[in-house]
Amino acid sequence: MTEGSSHGSASIQEVSQLVWGPNIRPELFARWSQGFIFSEDERTALIQTSGGPCAVIAPVQAFLLKNLISKHQLSQLREVDSTTVDQFLAAALTEMLCQCKQPPNLVMHTGEKSSSPTHAGDSNTPSQRDQGPFEIACLDDPLPMNNYCSDSSPQEPDQPPPTPSAKDYSLFHSNVRLRQFESVHSLQNHLETHLDKYKARYGVLLFLYSIVLTKGVKTVSEEMGDLGESLIDVTQGHGGQGLINLLITGRASSYVWDGVKDVGGLILFSWCKKLVTPDSEVERAKQVFSWYDTEGNRFIQGEKLKDVLEKLNLCTDEDFIRFMMVELDPDNMGVILYHKFVETFFTPDQSYNPPDTFAIYHYNGLESSCPLNKIQYAEGCVTLQESHVGFSASNSEFLTCLATKWPNLDVQWSNFTPSLN
């Protein structure tokens, strides 16, 4: 187990180019110059101080909560002490870096459970099978504080905030050091013992640069497909789809679907095979079936059966198709019902149906978007309906998103209706 350290100015320049594009706008860099800060009101929730870095903060929050709820009930999260939360944060960062080291043909299974430390010396790491090198961006010493940043000392009421300067990002990039770790154990140990560096100013950027360095600038660029595209939008400062997918799945694909997608009659094709592998064969079948069930009515036209079977790598022999049409549509109505399709092609032990009702939780890291400017998890109850549900204006954004996984659902929020803004 070895650890190396270098300045790596050429590597940092390549990363900076990929992340920001040819020119860095000082005001956008300032918005991204925050650390991983926990809320005082919801101690397991990360704060987003300004628009932009949610593309990194939200995926880290997702991995953090995934591991936390494997050890604690959601109702107990407010009781978890800060030391334990920090350990889970370090484990989440480690797991995401490990995921970037997987071979290109592998993706994370949504149902895969990763181990998380219960104390600082725990030998269980998120992914023991993944080995280095892991290349990490570090700041050995704190940089001079610019009062423009939201986590700096407040300004006097009668004094305007200073204008972000090119000196800020020049100083940052000139002081970044690269460290290399050859094993998951040494990587996680470094993150646990130096977590304060990632919780301080620039911590989000240090982690983002570490992800790109560990994955490889060239590999990230190739996975994005567009050699002229940057990970952060050069105008608005938000993270692009490639960045979000890189952090969630370990692959920087610019697409959000598999295979073929009909968008208003325009057939689009995705170059990536999978972003996230479905939980089961039935989940995969449901996903493929939904591509051709464009109205969400839980049936498809009979003429689409061959396409569905082909996508599922099932038999598409013409005699077999004719036989199955008789089995699936005995009344010759010209349609195939989803439940009949699943019952015919999958055994009961392969099938999994979600409960009719289940709890859902939403998190928004912007304090200004939360009631009384206090971050808290919104709790709701999802009910799966038999038929299509009309989306109200207040719930439409959430339901449109959730319906990609659970069609025909309704959500009732118990404490408050959260905001996506």
Side-chain angles (χ1 to χ4, degrees), residues 226-369:
D226 184 351
L227 296 180
E229 183 181 357
S230 58
L231 291 172
I232 295 176
D233 182 82
V234 297
T235 303
Q236 302 297 327
H238 59 257
Q241 191 64 54
L243 171 56
I244 295 170
N245 289 343
L246 173 62
L247 290 160
I248 294 175
T249 71
R251 298 194 64 219
S253 166
S254 297
Y255 298 92
V256 293
W257 63 82
D258 303 348
V260 182
K261 189 73 173 179
D262 186 333
V263 181
L266 177 65
I267 303 298
L268 302 178
F269 296 87
S270 166
W271 292 104
C272 65
K273 296 297 183 184
K274 295 179 183 178
L275 290 181
V276 180
T277 303
D279 295 336
S280 65
E281 291 298 321
V282 175
E283 281 287 297
R284 175 65 177 171
K286 180 179 179 181
Q287 181 185 53
V288 172
F289 198 93
S290 69
W291 295 343
Y292 301 94
D293 177 18
T294 56
E295 300 297 324
N297 294 319
R298 297 179 72 80
F299 68 80
I300 60 172
Q301 299 298 318
E303 62 196 33
K304 299 295 184 182
L305 175 60
K306 182 177 180 179
D307 296 329
V308 172
L309 295 179
E310 186 174 37
K311 293 296 181 185
L312 294 172
N313 296 319
L314 298 175
C315 179
T316 56
D317 180 80
E318 292 297 332
D319 290 337
F320 179 74
I321 295 293
R322 284 193 290 268
F323 172 77
M324 291 311 304
M325 282 299 303
V326 174
E327 289 290 314
L328 295 170
D329 183 21
D331 299 324
N332 198 27
M333 300 292 290
V335 297
I336 296 171
L337 300 178
Y338 170 72
H339 76 272
K340 182 72 173 178
F341 175 79
V342 171
E343 289 172 359
T344 302
F345 282 95
F346 301 96
T347 60
D349 60 328
Q350 290 178 293
S351 300
Y352 168 76
N353 293 316
D356 292 334
T357 61
F358 54 89
I360 186 173
Y361 295 85
H362 178 267
Y363 148 82
N364 190 326
L366 283 170
E367 293 178 316
S368 59
S369 298

Side-chain angles (χ1 to χ4, degrees), residues 254 402 412:
S254 297
L402 295 172
Q412 297 295 323

Side-chain angles (χ1 to χ4, degrees), residues 81 94 231:
D81 63 87
T94 304
L231 291 172

